Amino acid sequence: MSHSSQGAGSHGTHEEGKLYVVDSINDLNKLNLCPTESQHLFSLEEKTANAGTTPGNGSRGLFFVGLLLVLMVSLALVFFAIFLIIQTGSKMEDVSRRLTAEGKDIDDLKKINSMIVKRLSQLDSGQD
């Protein structure tokens, strides 16, 4: 966008032929607000450094990085929870098999105990 100093008002005969290059409304306001002696064009480095940054662009990028990080952590937690559920299920199957086997052993021990008690009661009655 080009803007001649004649359109903004005559500041003198030595400024009539100058063109001011303005990249944004902010630069235009800065040029218009400065007195005529201190008006200057912004250097190319300033314009290229400020060209890619817009207000909120950095916070938007930070927001997306934070969102991505939260999603990755939550995904890792979900996989960990699924792993724990699978591990707990397999451990519970082992425990239930052991309980069933021990239950059978306990029943066998009860039978043996009852046989021993009967035999001892028979021996006690025979000795009397």
Side-chain angles (χ1 to χ4, degrees):
M1 175 180 183
S2 298
H3 178 269
S4 76
S5 61
Q6 279 183 334
S10 176
H11 294 294
T13 57
H14 65 281
E15 290 188 16
E16 287 181 20
K18 287 187 179 180
L19 293 176
Y20 293 100
V21 178
V22 178
D23 285 339
S24 70
I25 298 295
N26 291 334
D27 290 346
L28 179 64
N29 289 337
K30 287 178 186 175
L31 287 174
N32 286 337
L33 291 177
C34 293
T36 57
E37 297 85 28
S38 64
Q39 276 187 348
H40 65 280
L41 291 176
F42 294 104
S43 67
L44 184 60
E45 293 85 19
E46 284 180 307
K47 288 184 181 180
T48 55
N50 292 334
T53 60
T54 59
N57 196 16
S59 63
R60 184 179 299 154
L62 186 63
F63 172 75
F64 284 126
V65 168
L67 182 65
L68 183 66
L69 184 65
V70 167
L71 287 175
M72 288 175 58
V73 167
S74 63
L75 185 65
L77 288 175
V78 166
F79 281 131
F80 185 66
I82 291 171
F83 174 75
L84 286 178
I85 290 170
I86 292 170
Q87 286 295 102
T88 305
S90 66
K91 296 281 184 187
M92 289 300 291
E93 288 175 6
D94 291 342
V95 168
S96 66
R97 271 188 258 136
R98 282 190 215 154
L99 285 175
T100 304
E102 287 176 4
K104 289 178 184 176
D105 290 342
I106 290 173
D107 289 339
D108 290 342
L109 288 173
K110 284 181 183 178
K111 287 179 185 176
I112 292 172
N113 188 24
S114 66
M115 288 173 34
I116 291 173
V117 169
K118 282 182 187 177
R119 181 70 180 155
L120 286 175
S121 63
Q122 287 176 356
L123 288 174
D124 281 342
S125 64
Q127 285 179 355
D128 287 337

